[in-house]
Amino acid sequence: MNKQKNIIFDLGGVLLGLDGERCMQAFDALGCERVSEYVRLHLTTDLFYDIEVGRISTAEFCAEVRRIAGCTAADADIVAAWNALLTEVSDARCAKLRELHGQGYRLFLLSNTNDMHWQRTLQLVPRAMALFTDVFLSYKMHLSKPDVRIFQEVLRQAQLNPAETLFIDDNADNCSAAASLGITTYQNHHINDWLHEDSLF
């Protein structure tokens, strides 16, 4: 019998589609080619890291984009370009979340994200977000995966037993950090893989 009672989902690459090419094209169209390089190389230092852990505001992020790229794009256009990274939560993924919720699993979300992406996510899938018992976001917690402290905080705040908890993420380091605390993990290599792993649930 499956001992899992709680499922912690990552957002990007597990529930929400990501389109780096579309995001780069949007930044290029603004004359922000240097920022496109950040996206292409998946850089998680300085600019993207600072907004991800809430060190800087959206306005400060936009100002830094202009400084790095030497462009004059408006804040709203920069936010739109950055949000072009996000695609959709498919009907199949939403249906699976509803199914798991209906089966009595407690669903949680743990995402390395920022206020811009989160507000866009709420626009894309407001009903799906309502299925989660609680949501943990890096920019609000001032911590990010794979720092083990963010997992410790989730376990503490949600009062979860790690032995009864499954974590689904597309990043191996994030899974390793969670596993070090006794959480069962599943690395999602392709966005819909977890939908077909019936042994997980």
Side-chain angles (χ1 to χ4, degrees), residues 80-126:
W82 185 213
N83 281 344
L85 180 67
L86 311 181
T87 59
E88 87 301 328
V89 176
S90 71
D91 290 343
R93 277 171 254 143
C94 286
K96 188 65 174 181
L97 288 176
R98 289 193 296 270
E99 177 187 325
L100 293 170
H101 184 267
Q103 290 173 351
Y105 287 99
R106 297 177 70 210
L107 308 182
F108 299 85
L109 186 70
L110 173 59
S111 177
N112 285 356
T113 193
N114 55 79
D115 185 58
M116 293 170 280
H117 282 175
W118 181 242
Q119 296 308 317
R120 179 59 179 154
T121 297
L122 293 177
Q123 291 173 351
L124 289 169
V125 283

Side-chain angles (χ1 to χ4, degrees), residues 141-201:
M141 299 176 75
H142 306 295
L143 292 167
S144 67
K145 300 174 289 185
D147 189 332
V148 73
R149 292 176 299 172
I150 199 169
F151 296 100
Q152 291 170 331
E153 272 301 296
V154 170
L155 294 174
R156 183 186 69 80
Q157 291 185 32
Q159 298 184 317
L160 302 181
N161 178 350
E164 297 177 343
T165 303
L166 170 67
F167 173 60
I168 302 175
D169 196 289
D170 61 333
N171 182 284
D173 291 338
N174 296 343
C175 288
S176 294
S180 74
L181 297 175
I183 299 169
T184 299
T185 65
Y186 174 77
Q187 185 181 357
N188 201 55
H189 293 284
H190 300 96
I191 193 164
N192 289 323
D193 284 356
W194 67 275
L195 293 178
H196 310 295
E197 291 290 341
D198 293 336
S199 62
L200 289 175
F201 313 113

Side-chain angles (χ1 to χ4, degrees), residues 8-81:
I8 304 173
F9 287 92
D10 178 30
L11 182 60
V14 174
L15 299 178
L16 193 70
L18 302 175
D19 190 337
E21 188 62 35
R22 187 173 73 172
C23 182
M24 288 187 289
Q25 290 173 357
F27 275 122
D28 287 346
L30 296 178
C32 299
E33 290 86 356
R34 289 192 63 190
V35 176
S36 295
E37 278 295 286
Y38 276 68
V39 179
R40 185 179 69 80
L41 298 173
H42 304 287
L43 295 180
T44 55
T45 56
D46 55 70
L47 177 64
F48 289 167
Y49 181 76
D50 286 345
I51 194 70
E52 194 172 82
V53 296
R55 286 182 182 171
I56 60 175
S57 66
T58 294
E60 289 168 328
F61 173 85
C62 293
E64 186 64 5
V65 166
R66 283 189 290 270
R67 187 193 67 79
I68 290 171
C71 71
T72 58
D75 285 9
D77 293 331
I78 291 171
V79 170

